[in-house]
Amino acid sequence: MSAGPAPARATAPALSRPLVSRALLAAFGIAAAADLISLLAGAELGHQLAKPLLMPLLAAYALTRGAPKLLTVALLFGWGGDVFLLSDADWAFLVGMGSFAAGHVCYLVLFGRRRTSVPLAAAYTAVLVGAVALLWPDLPADLRIPVAGYSLLLTAMAYRASSLGFLAGLGGALFLLSDTLIATGVAEWPQLPVPDFWVMLTYIGAQYLLTAGVLHAMYGERRTTV
């Protein structure tokens, strides 16, 4: 008689985990919408409140999907960069950039040695050299070397992300675009209307697509080994 209720108890966690995942992903979407709408409306307080919620919610979602630890760590380093870049201080910009750089290292290790496209490598190399060459004269002197080093690491991450497929590759490209928009602002180039909106739109999309791409690649590999 005791064998009857056991299956229900055993399946309860399996049933609840998808619900938790959906709730966390929905919360991430709500925080993203609140942040973007705040930027469009010029509501700085809304941006200050919503931005720090983004990466913890995405990392929690990834955890409920059984994500590798390096993905979670990369997202949390992104959270550190988000928080520091809320400040306009030069030291906060450098610390935030360092936090993002650590996240890119996590991504690079996570991507491993999967095969990537040689023509795509040439294209990313051209983008890196061209962007640094154009931005260099207009960047503050004390930021030129850090920005160039960070750009090299970011471009490597964006290129290697393509080894996981379309989703991760698009995420890497959007991350490169987002940070290039930030760099043009630092260099005081002409900006799009509401520049922070475009930076955050591409950044949020980048981190979500990288997460989705990693999870998709991981699940695909598990299916092929079963």
Side-chain angles (χ1 to χ4, degrees), residues 110-131:
L110 182 60
F111 298 154
R113 298 183 178 182
R114 294 174 177 84
R115 185 174 298 178
T116 46
S117 166
V118 174
L120 187 61
Y124 269 119
T125 300
V127 169
L128 170 65
V129 173

Side-chain angles (χ1 to χ4, degrees), residues 3 8 31 45 98 152 157 189-190 193 200:
L45 179 59
L152 176 61
M157 185 281 293
W189 284 15
M200 287 305 300

Side-chain angles (χ1 to χ4, degrees), residues 53-161:
L53 298 176
L54 293 169
M55 291 307 106
L57 287 170
L58 187 57
Y61 162 73
L63 280 173
T64 64
R65 294 290 310 278
K69 291 181 180 179
L70 276 174
L71 174 59
T72 305
V73 174
L75 292 172
L76 292 179
F77 274 124
W79 170 74
D82 290 345
V83 171
F84 281 109
L85 290 187
L86 285 172
S87 171
D88 293 329
D90 289 344
W91 68 267
F93 178 80
L94 288 172
V95 174
M97 187 166 59
S99 187
F100 280 122
H104 296 326
V105 171
C106 292
Y107 277 128
L108 284 168
V109 175
L110 182 60
F111 298 154
R113 298 183 178 182
R114 294 174 177 84
R115 185 174 298 178
T116 46
S117 166
V118 174
L120 187 61
Y124 269 119
T125 300
V127 169
L128 170 65
V129 173
V132 171
L134 290 171
L135 287 165
W136 187 271
D138 298 322
L139 290 171
D142 59 336
L143 291 181
R144 287 172 180 169
I145 298 299
V147 168
Y150 176 80
S151 297
L152 176 61
L153 184 60
L154 170 60
T155 305
M157 185 281 293
Y159 165 61
R160 291 294 301 146

Side-chain angles (χ1 to χ4, degrees), residues 33-47 194 197:
D35 187 52
L36 295 173
I37 291 170
S38 295
L39 290 170
L40 286 174
E44 181 61 23
L45 179 59
H47 174 59
V194 198
F197 169 82

Side-chain angles (χ1 to χ4, degrees), residues 111 157-158 160-174 206 209-214:
F111 298 154
M157 185 281 293
R160 291 294 301 146
S162 65
S163 67
L164 268 66
F166 176 75
L167 290 177
L170 180 58
L174 283 177
L209 288 170
L210 283 168
T211 300
V214 170

